[in-house]
Amino acid sequence: MYFPDCQEMDEPLLCFIYYNGGSNYSVRPSETYEPLAGFFMLSEEDKRRPRPDGYTGVHWKNYVQWARQRLINHGFLDGSTRGIWRLSPAGVNLASNVAARYTALRLSD
């Protein structure tokens, strides 16, 4: 099983939201899991693996959720609305500076 390093998740998650979040740079959490799993080339088994801590849920989704929380803690995501992952102004700035490395995360033109 390969999961990216924690910090390897930050820029792809930011750029996914930047590319696919519309004019307000926001997405629902459920929109992020499959595209990010594809970007990191996770197997079907990896995407379905249960959490290792015994709690219910899928390890991959929980891993992406932790990346989201880390980005909130660093000021790159606005965590004020439950169920919506929105870039903060600092997140938009960072994503715009690194987006060219993550064009594979753009779902549509």
Side-chain angles (χ1 to χ4, degrees):
M1 170 178 74
Y2 164 76
F3 273 15
D5 179 80
C6 290
Q7 282 70 35
E8 287 180 281
M9 289 287 298
D10 294 350
E11 287 182 0
L13 179 54
L14 285 173
C15 289
F16 178 82
I17 299 169
Y18 179 77
Y19 280 135
N20 303 294
S23 60
N24 64 350
Y25 302 107
S26 65
V27 298
R28 297 201 177 281
S30 60
E31 297 173 293
T32 66
Y33 305 121
E34 279 297 318
L36 287 170
F39 179 78
F40 288 108
M41 297 182 282
L42 298 184
S43 70
E44 287 301 317
E45 181 183 337
D46 289 339
K47 291 188 289 187
R48 291 189 313 265
R49 188 178 311 277
R51 287 177 53 166
D53 57 10
Y55 287 96
T56 59
V58 177
H59 185 66
W60 173 245
K61 288 181 180 180
N62 185 249
Y63 200 74
V64 175
Q65 292 162 0
W66 275 107
R68 173 222 175 233
Q69 187 59 54
R70 195 173 43 258
L71 290 168
I72 289 171
N73 294 346
H74 291 297
F76 296 118
L77 286 180
D78 172 359
S80 65
T81 306
R82 183 174 172 81
I84 300 293
W85 294 3
R86 180 177 298 116
L87 297 182
S88 68
V92 172
N93 185 49
L94 176 58
S96 69
N97 288 327
V98 300
R101 290 185 269 189
Y102 302 100
T103 57
L105 290 167
R106 181 182 294 153
L107 298 181
S108 62
D109 288 330

